[in-house]
Amino acid sequence: MLRRIQEQKRVLTLYSGEYVHCTYPTVDGWDIVEKVIDTLTPIEEITLEMSKPDASVSCIIPTTEVLRRYLESQGPNTRGIQTLRKTMLDSLKRRFAAMEERREVVLACILDPHYKQRPLSDTTISTAKTWLQEEAEKVSSSSHSTEASSSTAATSREENPTGEGQSQSLLDSLYDDMLLSQQAQPEPPEGLLEEYLKEPILDRKTGDPLQWWKQNSGRFLKLSGQAVPDSSTLLYPQ
């Protein structure tokens, strides 16, 4: 509604000049309208992304982290805007404070090739490794068939993590700052999970995590059993 009012600013100006009884925003009022729109635009973008049919539980922690970084960043000093941002930040922290304690949410995030461990704290990553081991043991104990070892690794579909050639919004920049600034160091992997975590992440907009796991299930057999349908379905609960 505010954006529509801003678009009709010239019309409203002409109308208020002809009909003096019409209440018209002051210069300061229009400035506040503009800053409110700017403040809410990234939140609208995230809302639309989370409303897509392919959105999954793995998006919760990354999205919350991006919103936190955005609201904690220095915004405009226009009267009331800082209060608005602080109120939204306090609400965000209060509502999602315990997300990194939720087993399903954490494992879904770390098993999504879009995000992996990037949005998680070191403590949560350590806990997630324990949870993954427990999940792997559950899958192994419930399986009555012997897993055939594959000598040929599935072809990995490489994605462009930087999204080159695409225009970036403020939201895209915040995601890149969170995901690409924590690229793993090129050290020898110590195990299957470490090897998975050290690989490049998928492009957030074009990468298909389900397809990635189907193509790489032979390389990460125990992990893929927890990430794709027909197993533990952490990424895509049925």
Side-chain angles (χ1 to χ4, degrees):
M1 180 182 293
L2 286 177
R3 185 178 286 117
R4 182 61 175 165
I5 292 175
Q6 186 186 43
E7 292 172 352
Q8 300 300 319
K9 179 179 179 180
R10 184 171 181 274
V11 175
L12 292 173
T13 302
L14 295 174
Y15 184 85
S16 64
E18 184 174 352
Y19 300 95
V20 293
H21 65 276
C22 177
T23 303
Y24 183 75
T26 63
V27 174
D28 289 341
W30 281 117
D31 185 53
I32 292 175
V33 168
E34 179 182 354
K35 296 303 188 297
V36 168
I37 292 173
D38 292 342
T39 298
L40 296 180
T41 295
I43 298 176
E44 179 188 29
E45 293 179 20
I46 284 181
T47 301
L48 293 175
E49 283 196 8
M50 295 296 290
S51 301
K52 292 180 179 179
D54 59 350
S56 75
V57 67
S58 64
C59 302
I60 295 177
I61 292 178
T63 299
T64 304
E65 175 64 14
V66 163
L67 279 176
R68 182 190 65 78
R69 294 187 181 199
Y70 167 65
L71 294 173
E72 286 181 347
S73 64
Q74 182 63 40
N77 293 320
T78 305
R79 175 171 53 89
I81 299 301
Q82 288 296 328
T83 302
L84 172 64
R85 293 170 70 98
K86 184 179 184 304
T87 300
M88 290 192 294
L89 178 61
D90 292 342
S91 177
L92 179 74
K93 290 180 177 179
R94 183 174 64 255
R95 291 172 181 269
F96 294 94
M99 279 299 106
E100 291 200 12
E101 299 174 9
R102 300 282 298 274
R103 184 187 186 108
E104 294 81 2
V105 176
V106 171
L107 294 187
C109 176
I110 206 168
L111 288 173
D112 190 331
H114 287 139
Y115 310 114
K116 299 187 178 181
Q117 82 281 25
R118 305 296 200 279
L120 305 175
S121 65
D122 292 340
T123 302
T124 304
I125 293 173
S126 178
T127 303
K129 290 180 179 180
T130 302
W131 286 342
L132 281 171
Q133 181 61 37
E134 293 173 356
E135 291 292 334
E137 291 174 357
K138 289 181 183 178
V139 172
S140 298
S141 62
S142 63
S143 176
H144 298 289
S145 60
T146 304
E147 297 177 343
S149 59
S150 175
S151 58
T152 304
T155 303
S156 173
R157 173 188 175 188
E158 294 186 0
E159 301 289 348
N160 176 16
T162 59
E164 293 181 2
Q166 301 177 8
S167 59
Q168 277 202 332
S169 65
L170 173 60
L171 184 62
D172 293 330
S173 299
L174 289 168
Y175 269 108
D176 285 348
D177 181 63
M178 175 183 68
L179 298 174
L180 302 183
S181 64
Q182 301 182 39
Q183 292 282 16
Q185 297 299 320
E187 299 175 354
E190 299 176 357
L192 193 64
L193 176 60
E194 285 74 13
E195 182 180 351
Y196 160 72
L197 295 178
K198 289 179 183 296
E199 292 203 350
I201 57 175
L202 286 182
D203 183 86
R204 187 176 62 86
K205 290 188 173 181
T206 62
D208 183 344
L210 182 57
Q211 186 65 26
W212 188 94
W213 276 111
K214 287 182 178 179
Q215 293 175 339
N216 291 275
S217 60
R219 300 170 56 213
F220 305 107
L221 202 56
K222 291 184 179 180
L223 294 179
S224 66
Q226 303 172 54
V228 298
D230 302 322
S231 58
S232 298
T233 56
L234 291 175
L235 273 180
Y236 298 90
Q238 295 176 328

